[in-house]
Amino acid sequence: MKLLLTIELPGQPDWRLPADWAGELLRGLGQTILLEKPAGRPAGCEVSLTLTDDEQIWRLNRQFRSVDRPTDVLSFPQYQPGEKILPHTSLGDIVISLPRLAAQAAAYGHSQKRELLFLFVHGLLHLLGYDHEISAEEEKRQFARQEQVLALLGVNR
């Protein structure tokens, strides 16, 4: 598994992801794929993660979802739901707003690292075909898998 990380923070060019956070992201990727493997998900995959600011994610949200506001996380899957995922290919792209991440961590009273892992797993599940926005049943399924992965990572509220 490969995680391609890009940091696009025009106002903070020196910001760096703490090394232990990067390791946790890789563990999150591995645990999620491991849980999905029985469902026919390949192990040799690649995911692109971009950490950015509100302006950039707002632009993407407006351009690709016609939603004119910033959001916390966007996912751009390489595959359509139900489509066979080929081994050793990109699952798609995840974009996370660092200002939203920080605000949500403060609002929920947990660490920014925990919020990053939550948003990453949430986005990754979208890349794997989960979509909580289509029905209450799908929402329950996606959120249950999120909690399962976060528990395996030892990440709790």
Side-chain angles (χ1 to χ4, degrees), residues 12-63:
Q12 301 175 8
D14 296 329
W15 190 89
R16 298 287 178 261
L17 183 73
D20 66 316
W21 292 20
E24 290 297 312
L25 287 168
L26 281 171
R27 280 189 54 223
L29 175 60
Q31 289 294 338
T32 305
I33 297 300
L34 191 62
L35 287 172
E36 291 298 308
K37 202 169 182 187
R41 308 296 188 202
C45 65
E46 177 180 295
V47 172
S48 171
L49 171 62
T50 300
L51 303 176
T52 193
D53 61 15
D54 275 350
E55 289 179 35
Q56 296 292 337
I57 208 163
W58 187 345
R59 183 181 55 76
L60 293 169
N61 206 18
R62 186 174 49 240
Q63 180 179 353

Side-chain angles (χ1 to χ4, degrees), residues 31-117:
Q31 289 294 338
T32 305
I33 297 300
L34 191 62
L35 287 172
E36 291 298 308
K37 202 169 182 187
R41 308 296 188 202
C45 65
E46 177 180 295
V47 172
S48 171
L49 171 62
T50 300
L51 303 176
T52 193
D53 61 15
D54 275 350
E55 289 179 35
Q56 296 292 337
I57 208 163
W58 187 345
R59 183 181 55 76
L60 293 169
N61 206 18
R62 186 174 49 240
Q63 180 179 353
F64 292 102
R65 297 181 64 226
S66 299
V67 177
D68 195 16
R69 68 181 189 294
T71 189
D72 53 1
V73 60
L74 291 172
S75 297
F76 299 97
Q78 180 72 26
Y79 293 92
Q80 297 297 318
E83 186 178 359
K84 183 177 177 8
I85 298 174
L86 301 174
H88 307 289
T89 61
S90 173
L91 295 177
D93 304 299
I94 300 169
V95 182
I96 294 174
S97 165
L98 286 177
R100 295 267 160 207
L101 177 155
Q104 289 174 186
Y108 289 117
H110 56 241
S111 72
Q112 290 185 24
K113 178 177 160 184
R114 190 256 182 231
E115 188 67 16
L116 174 63
L117 291 169

